[in-house]
Amino acid sequence: MSTLKPWCDGNHLDDAEIFVLKEYQHKGIAKKLFRTLFEYAINTMQ
C-alpha cells in the first residue's frame, strides 16, 4: 500500500509498505511489486 502525492518536483511515494505471505517470501515478489509501484509513479509524472 502506498499513496502517490504530486509535488512541485514530481510524484512522491508516501508510506509505501508491501506485505507478502510467509510462504511466498524470498522469491522476489516484494521487489517486483515495489519496482512496479516506482515505475507507475514515474510514468504518471509525464
Side-chain angles (χ1 to χ4, degrees):
M1 300 301 286
S2 177
T3 55
L4 183 62
K5 293 184 177 183
W7 289 83
C8 60
D9 64 345
N11 292 332
H12 289 228
L13 293 174
D14 187 45
D15 296 327
E17 292 184 272
I18 300 285
F19 297 96
V20 178
L21 290 173
K22 188 170 183 138
E23 60 263 27
Y24 297 107
Q25 292 178 1
H26 306 290
K27 297 178 189 261
I29 294 170
K31 187 183 292 186
K32 289 178 184 176
L33 289 171
F34 265 118
R35 184 169 291 136
T36 301
L37 187 59
F38 294 142
E39 289 172 359
Y40 177 80
I42 291 168
N43 290 333
T44 58
M45 286 182 8
Q46 302 170 356

